[in-house]
């Protein structure tokens, strides 16, 4: 466990606290709290305190250099794989983590669904956690024999400097679609924020780029391999999709997977490419990929009374569109959707997501997602902007929204519950209200004594 912290709440007796200035908060405001919690040393840009104090010009730069110098030997001895993009980060990272462990390479995973070493260790507050938390996890991984790490890399994590100076062996770009524009402002800024990952490749590091995405040129930095349906180093051919899975050919390999949908072909291909670049044989890859399962909350299916409920994290227009394209290929009569839009985030995508739902579903139930500091009614107003369709219902309580949607299912219907996926809370201001979509469905079915088939 690192003895250096940037969050005063995590400080223990004997720790060093580094005060960082952020966009919405200043670590200098929490120095006294850190001392009260046991900090014996303070690193700051100003002030005089009751414990040993080091004043520096730039506390963030000090922290980055200290951590790198302290654990440089660890980082150089590790194989670190960074995966970035709007959609597909979690599934691609988790598939690769799972594949490497099945191929007897002790591999840890850092990302949206938590920190894993063979099995889940803990949840994480962000896709790319605080820099001290990341080093804590890397050191934990290394010292417990997990010298390969697969890491989801977010644009905000890169912008905040949470990954500065960490060297990567492979950097993967999946795609770029509208998201986080409340923070980045423009798609170009969003694209450039992700570039930083590729500048942090080791000298012999390799970039792996989705050439089908219109932003691919931003990431073709250094030694690059491309993939996709267009002319590329790893070109998808002979793709077949059905309700039981997918298959495709790439170079001399024929890949089969239980994951459904074209977008999952891209995700599986990314994992396949990294395994190939690491040096696994064709037979090892073809044998391993079919055994892989998606991460929690991604196309998570529950069947009952010949109906299917699908729980997925899709929370962007592109992700929703992919889900609809995929489920429409499944046998069904009607499609129902429960979803909401996140508060205090990119409002421009709200009406787009609502129209996608209305255009692709027979009935839509609009409900709460993470509200943060915004009122539910304001979010719904944005979602319905310009809407002239009427096959929807607004239900703020997410449990009741799910209950209502389940009650509408008859036979061979599909219900999509989107936006939260694996998450265990709904965030309202400073409160984290326990809630999980799958658990909600299971509870309602139990209460209603509906038989779950699988």
């Amino acid at each position: 466990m690192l003895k250096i912290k940037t969050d005063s709440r995590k400080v223990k007796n004997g720790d060093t606290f580094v005060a960082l200035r952020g966009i919405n908060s200043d670590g200098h405001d929490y120095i006294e709290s850190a001392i009260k919690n046991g900090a014996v040393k303070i690193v700051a840009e100003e002030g005089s305190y009751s414990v040993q104090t080091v004043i520096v010009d730039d506390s963030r730069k000090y922290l980055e250099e200290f951590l790198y110098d302290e654990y440089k030997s660890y980082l150089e001895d590790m194989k670190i794989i960074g995966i970035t993009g709007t959609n597909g980060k979690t599934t691609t990272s988790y598939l690769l983590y799972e594949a490497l462990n099945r191929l007897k390479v002790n591999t840890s995973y850092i990302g949206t669904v938590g920190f894993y070493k063979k099995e889940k260790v803990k949840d994480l507050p962000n896709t790319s956690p605080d820099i001290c938390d990341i080093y804590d996890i890397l050191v934990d991984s290394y010292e417990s024999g997990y010298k390969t790490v697969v890491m989801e890399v977010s644009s905000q994590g890169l912008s905040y400097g949470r990954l500065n100076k960490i060297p990567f062996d492979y950097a993967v770009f999946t795609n770029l679609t509208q998201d986080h524009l409340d923070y980045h402002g423009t798609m170009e800024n969003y694209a450039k924020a992700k570039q930083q990952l590729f500048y942090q490749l080791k000298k012999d590091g390799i970039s792996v780029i989705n050439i089908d995405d219109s932003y691919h040129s931003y990431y073709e930095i250094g030694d690059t391999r491309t993939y996709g349906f267009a002319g590329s180093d790893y070109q998808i051919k002979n793709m077949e999709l059905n309700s039981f899975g997918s298959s495709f050919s790439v170079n001399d390999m024929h890949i089969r997977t239980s994951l459904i949908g074209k977008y999952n072909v891209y995700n599986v291909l990314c994992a396949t490419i990294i395994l190939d670049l690491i040096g696994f044989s064709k037979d090892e890859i073809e044998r391993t990929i079919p055994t892989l399962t998606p991460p929690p909350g991604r196309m998570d299916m529950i069947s009952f009374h010949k109906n299917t409920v699908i729980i997925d994290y899709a929370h962007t227009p592109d992700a929703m569109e992919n889900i609809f394209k995929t489920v429409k290929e499944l046998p069904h009569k009607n499609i129902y959707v429960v979803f909401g839009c996140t508060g205090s985030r990119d409002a421009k995508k709200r009406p787009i997501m609502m129209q996608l739902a209305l255009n692709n579903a027979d009935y839509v139930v609009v409900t709460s997602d993470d509200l943060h500091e915004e009122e539910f009614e304001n979010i719904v107003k944005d979602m319905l902007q310009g809407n002239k369709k009427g096959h929807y219902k607004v239900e703020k309580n997410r449990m009741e929204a799910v209950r209502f949607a389940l009650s509408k299912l008859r036979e061979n219907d599909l219900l999509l519950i989107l936006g939260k996926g694996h998450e265990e809370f709904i965030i309202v201001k400073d409160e984290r209200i326990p809630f999980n979509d799958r658990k909600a469905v299971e509870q309602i079915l139990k209460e209603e004594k509906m038989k779950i088939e699988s």
Side-chain angles (χ1 to χ4, degrees):
M1 185 70 70
L2 300 185
K3 299 293 288 181
I4 190 167
K5 302 290 191 301
T6 60
D7 186 335
S8 63
R9 296 166 296 184
K10 297 178 181 179
V11 170
K12 305 292 184 185
N13 285 331
D15 284 352
T16 294
F17 177 71
V18 181
L20 301 181
R21 299 190 192 279
I23 295 174
N24 299 314
S25 64
D26 186 343
H28 292 77
D29 296 335
Y30 301 95
I31 289 175
E32 293 301 335
S33 295
I35 294 172
K36 184 178 180 180
N37 288 339
V40 296
K41 181 179 178 180
I42 299 297
V43 178
E45 295 176 9
E46 61 184 14
S48 178
Y49 305 96
S50 59
V51 298
Q52 180 186 357
T53 303
V54 177
I55 301 299
V56 298
D57 291 333
D58 186 332
S59 55
R60 188 175 297 278
K61 185 177 180 182
Y62 168 92
L63 178 63
E64 292 168 2
E65 292 179 349
F66 173 85
L67 289 170
Y68 180 73
D69 290 342
E70 188 79 5
Y71 297 105
K72 182 178 180 181
S73 61
Y74 285 35
L75 298 175
E76 290 178 345
D77 196 32
M78 298 179 84
K79 189 184 299 294
I80 304 177
I81 303 159
I83 299 176
T84 195
T86 307
N87 300 308
K89 293 190 300 295
T90 301
T91 299
T92 299
S93 299
Y94 191 87
L95 291 174
L96 182 57
Y97 145 82
E98 198 175 38
L100 287 166
N101 278 300
R102 294 191 184 211
L103 288 163
K104 309 302 182 186
V105 178
N106 283 345
T107 302
S108 61
Y109 157 86
I110 304 170
T112 305
V113 296
F115 168 39
Y116 284 69
K117 291 185 303 184
K118 290 282 174 72
E119 57 187 26
K120 189 170 186 175
V121 178
K122 63 180 179 180
D123 290 318
L124 299 174
N126 299 296
T127 299
S128 298
D130 168 85
I131 188 170
C132 287
D133 289 338
I134 287 179
Y135 269 90
D136 218 356
I137 291 169
L138 291 174
V139 170
D140 180 322
S141 297
Y142 185 89
E143 292 183 344
S144 55
Y146 290 77
K147 294 186 179 181
T148 297
V149 177
V150 181
M151 185 187 304
E152 288 185 56
V153 178
S154 70
S155 59
Q156 288 170 304
L158 290 164
S159 297
Y160 289 142
R162 295 173 188 158
L163 299 149
N164 283 3
K165 298 186 79 69
I166 292 176
F168 290 85
D169 295 85
Y170 300 95
V172 179
F173 167 67
T174 62
N175 53 64
L176 198 80
T177 64
Q178 184 175 337
D179 200 15
H180 304 303
L181 297 190
D182 55 304
Y183 176 74
H184 295 292
T186 67
M187 288 297 291
E188 184 176 12
N189 290 342
Y190 182 26
K192 287 181 176 178
K194 290 184 176 293
Q195 276 185 329
Q196 182 58 37
L197 169 63
F198 298 84
Y199 289 121
Q200 290 179 216
L201 281 165
K202 295 177 181 177
K203 288 184 178 179
D204 58 350
I206 298 175
S207 302
V208 178
I209 310 299
N210 176 5
I211 201 168
D212 292 343
D213 190 273
S214 61
Y215 289 89
H216 67 86
S217 62
Y218 282 81
Y219 310 103
E220 293 177 42
I221 296 168
D223 188 4
T224 299
R225 305 291 188 277
T226 58
Y227 69 92
F229 286 89
S232 55
D233 298 312
Y234 291 87
Q235 187 170 350
I236 301 166
K237 296 180 179 179
N238 306 318
M239 182 181 71
E240 294 184 8
L241 305 174
N242 58 53
S243 59
F244 303 103
S246 314
S247 66
F248 61 94
S249 298
V250 57
N251 296 356
D252 65 338
M253 293 179 283
H254 185 66
I255 303 299
R256 293 178 296 106
T257 175
S258 61
L259 278 68
I260 62 175
K262 181 179 177 181
Y263 69 102
N264 271 320
V265 168
Y266 280 105
N267 296 333
V268 169
L269 177 57
C270 282
T272 299
I273 292 168
I274 298 298
L275 295 177
D276 185 52
L277 292 173
I278 288 174
F280 288 101
S281 69
K282 171 180 179 289
D283 289 344
E284 287 174 315
I285 295 171
E286 289 181 340
R287 186 173 65 247
T288 301
I289 296 296
T291 69
L292 305 181
T293 57
R298 271 63 177 176
M299 289 297 287
D300 189 2
M301 296 189 183
I302 302 172
S303 298
F304 72 98
H305 293 342
K306 297 183 180 179
N307 298 299
T308 302
V309 179
I310 298 175
I311 296 164
D312 195 89
Y313 188 61
H315 63 286
T316 67
D318 184 67
M320 284 185 69
E321 191 169 7
N322 285 331
I323 287 288
F324 283 122
K325 285 179 180 177
T326 298
V327 301
K328 283 184 174 182
E329 296 171 355
L330 303 176
H332 68 276
K333 286 184 179 177
N334 298 300
I335 297 177
Y336 298 91
V337 179
V338 174
F339 88 108
C341 290
T342 310
S344 305
R345 299 294 186 270
D346 184 6
K348 293 179 181 178
K349 67 182 183 182
R350 294 172 184 172
I352 300 172
M353 292 169 66
M354 185 65 187
Q355 286 306 304
L356 277 168
L358 290 168
N359 290 341
N360 288 280
D362 296 280
Y363 199 86
V364 178
V365 185
V366 176
T367 191
S368 297
D369 200 291
D370 292 333
L371 300 181
H372 294 288
E373 302 295 326
E374 195 169 358
E375 294 298 325
F376 174 70
E377 291 73 18
N378 185 61
I379 296 169
V380 174
K381 182 179 178 181
D382 284 344
M383 293 174 71
L384 295 175
Q385 184 179 355
N387 175 58
K388 295 182 180 179
K389 298 185 178 182
H391 54 290
Y392 70 88
K393 171 185 174 70
V394 177
E395 172 53 69
K396 182 177 180 180
N397 185 296
R398 195 171 178 99
M399 175 66 88
E400 294 307 313
V402 172
R403 188 187 306 277
F404 174 80
L406 285 169
S407 74
K408 291 185 73 67
L409 304 185
R410 294 297 177 260
E411 186 173 308
N412 296 324
D413 289 336
L414 295 176
L415 168 58
L416 309 183
I417 306 176
L418 305 179
K420 299 292 291 175
H422 67 286
E423 294 180 341
E424 296 285 346
F425 299 92
I426 293 177
I427 302 173
V428 181
K429 296 183 179 178
D430 294 329
E431 188 177 3
R432 293 163 66 86
I433 302 168
F435 190 89
N436 174 271
D437 284 338
R438 183 180 180 93
K439 291 176 183 176
V441 171
E442 291 174 343
Q443 179 181 327
I444 293 166
L445 295 182
K446 183 178 180 181
E447 290 172 357
E448 304 294 334
K449 296 182 179 179
M450 296 177 180
K451 183 181 177 183
I452 300 176
E453 296 167 359
S454 63

